[in-house]
Amino acid sequence: MLLIIIIVSSIATRGKGLSSNYYETTCPQAEAIVTEVVNKASMADTTVPAGLLRMHFHDCFIRGCDASVLLESKNKNSPAEKNGPPNVSLHAFFVVDDAKKAVEAICPGVVSCADILAFAARDAVVAAGGPYWEVPKGRKDGRVSKASETIQLPAPAFNLSQLYLSFSLRGLSMEDLVALSGGHTIGFSHCSSFDNRLRNFNATSDVDPTLNRAMAAQLRGICPPGGNSKNAGTGMDPSSTTFDNNYYKLLLQGKGLFSSDQALLANPKTRALVLQYASSQEAFFKAFANSMIKMSSITGGEGVRTDCRVSN
């Protein structure tokens, strides 16, 4: 834990060098190019937005937003982040590849993979019906990517104290935690991320008592005992391809999918924010956009990779 704290604390202090006009003279078309690629991919596959948003989050929480999650493993003895257990289900890497190739064709060696991923995550949210925000620009790409470091990612079974520690080490507040958790309004989860709530929950309850009974019965039908079907799972919410505030409404009904989701009701401050966002999609969208800007400004890296999958 001490090592993790030291690593993350050093990341969370690096937020300089970003600006809204970073590519104004060197590659003014960059964002428009990425938007076009993301929109095309999202129309062809409605799971793309959730994939890109999750990818950006998982990137920023390790070594800062440096596109290290995009790097391929150098060999079997040195697996990269994308091969770490929390990341093996990440998808839509092809969208970033396509966007990078399109940008490189116009402005070679100028726009970082980290910035392209940040643009793509924003555009993905917009494509799913969510808010737009101005992405600060000027991130640099990292050269180091270690699967072992993915243990730093907040886990679906975390309680509120564990979640807050993970976020605070990265300079993010309790408000950021609640707002960014709303990203779970889109996407799909495998049973392995929530089956801890369905059977043998604790010494006194087989099923997590905070989980809605009808939903628990439904999930038990989807997820076989012992994890016998690794592909089984469910959407994060019934409108899992639409970015809305339904996530918070479901939490108030005991229908959050992860333990970490339902944990947001465990504290008066976080519960009040859940209530606020459940009653006002506008308030949620504003908070989410602000927290995404803050999270995406956790920077790292040192240069621009010409191929997002390999170090130069």
Side-chain angles (χ1 to χ4, degrees), residues 24-186:
E24 186 173 16
T25 59
T26 56
C27 194
Q29 316 98 309
E31 283 189 87
I33 292 171
V34 176
T35 299
E36 182 178 359
V37 172
V38 170
N39 286 345
K40 181 179 179 181
S42 299
M43 285 189 287
D45 181 354
T46 57
T47 71
V48 161
L52 292 172
L53 178 59
R54 184 168 173 242
M55 191 188 301
H56 183 44
F57 182 93
H58 283 216
D59 180 45
C60 294
F61 261 58
I62 303 301
R63 290 179 167 266
C65 310
D66 67 344
S68 54
V69 74
L70 305 177
L71 287 168
E72 296 288 348
S73 299
K74 294 180 179 179
N75 55 66
K76 64 180 182 179
N77 296 319
S78 182
E81 286 174 33
K82 64 168 57 178
N83 298 114
N87 287 343
V88 292
S89 60
L90 289 180
H91 72 288
F93 289 102
F94 76 93
V95 181
V96 181
D97 291 336
D98 290 349
K100 176 64 171 177
K101 289 176 184 176
V103 171
E104 283 291 306
I106 303 298
C107 317
V110 173
V111 183
S112 67
C113 297
D115 272 348
I116 288 174
L117 179 53
F119 298 154
R122 186 270 316 279
D123 295 335
V125 169
V126 174
Y132 176 91
W133 61 91
E134 185 68 39
V135 175
K137 307 161 188 70
R139 293 164 194 79
K140 300 302 179 184
D141 294 330
R143 298 177 180 176
V144 178
S145 186
K146 299 180 180 180
S148 60
E149 293 182 353
T150 60
I151 61 169
Q152 298 177 39
L153 289 166
F158 269 13
N159 60 35
L160 189 60
S161 295
Q162 292 169 313
L163 288 171
Y164 180 60
L165 174 62
S166 179
F167 276 67
S168 63
L169 287 173
R170 293 158 175 85
L172 299 172
S173 67
M174 193 75 85
E175 290 82 357
D176 296 319
L177 164 60
V178 179
L180 292 173
S181 294
H184 286 170
T185 190
I186 56 174

Side-chain angles (χ1 to χ4, degrees), residues 245-272:
N245 67 334
N246 198 39
Y247 167 82
Y248 299 101
K249 297 176 181 178
L250 292 170
L251 290 186
L252 297 173
Q253 301 170 40
K255 295 181 179 179
L257 193 57
F258 299 159
S259 297
S260 59
D261 293 322
Q262 209 61 45
L264 298 183
L265 298 182
N267 172 281
K269 183 176 182 178
T270 54
R271 184 182 181 87

